[in-house]
Amino acid sequence: VQLQASGGGLVQPGGSLRLSCAASGFTLDDYAIAWFRQAPGKEREGVSCIGRRDGNTYTADSVKGRFTISKDNAKNTVYLQVNSLKPEDTAVYYCAADIERSRCTGYYGTLAYWGQGTQVTVAS
């Protein structure tokens, strides 16, 4: 049972990336999946979440309008489309399963199956 994040890289300000979080050992109907990020010297920040059954979404105000979460149940993968990137978006981005809450509200329950993280660096 694991999540594997990928898709990060070095991008110029204003650029875009699509991050992927592939699940194995369970399906996306089992858990809500959330994206977090952590920059050096800063606390981990919840970025976005997608619910397990109805696929409701939550996106933090800091990235709303620029980041979009989605999922492909056939591929068992959650995506985070990150657009209009800014230097302050530089961080390691992680995905995790919320094994306690089915829907996304911005508050998280018990988080498990953390992926290894993917580095996003925004610099000119």
Side-chain angles (χ1 to χ4, degrees), residues 33-79:
I33 303 297
W35 283 97
F36 295 84
R37 67 183 181 183
Q38 188 162 22
K42 294 188 176 181
E43 292 188 357
R44 187 180 67 197
E45 175 190 10
V47 174
S48 193
C49 176
I50 189 161
R52 67 171 190 153
R53 289 290 174 86
D54 63 4
N56 85 298
T57 62
Y58 164 83
T59 302
D61 287 343
S62 59
V63 301
K64 192 170 291 183
R66 300 189 297 121
F67 289 14
T68 303
I69 193 169
S70 63
K71 63 179 178 177
D72 185 333
N73 286 335
K75 295 184 178 180
N76 218 29
T77 299
V78 173
Y79 301 100

Side-chain angles (χ1 to χ4, degrees), residues 2-3 9 34 57 64 68 85 98:
Q2 65 177 354
L3 293 167
T57 62
K64 192 170 291 183
T68 303
L85 283 163
D98 188 331

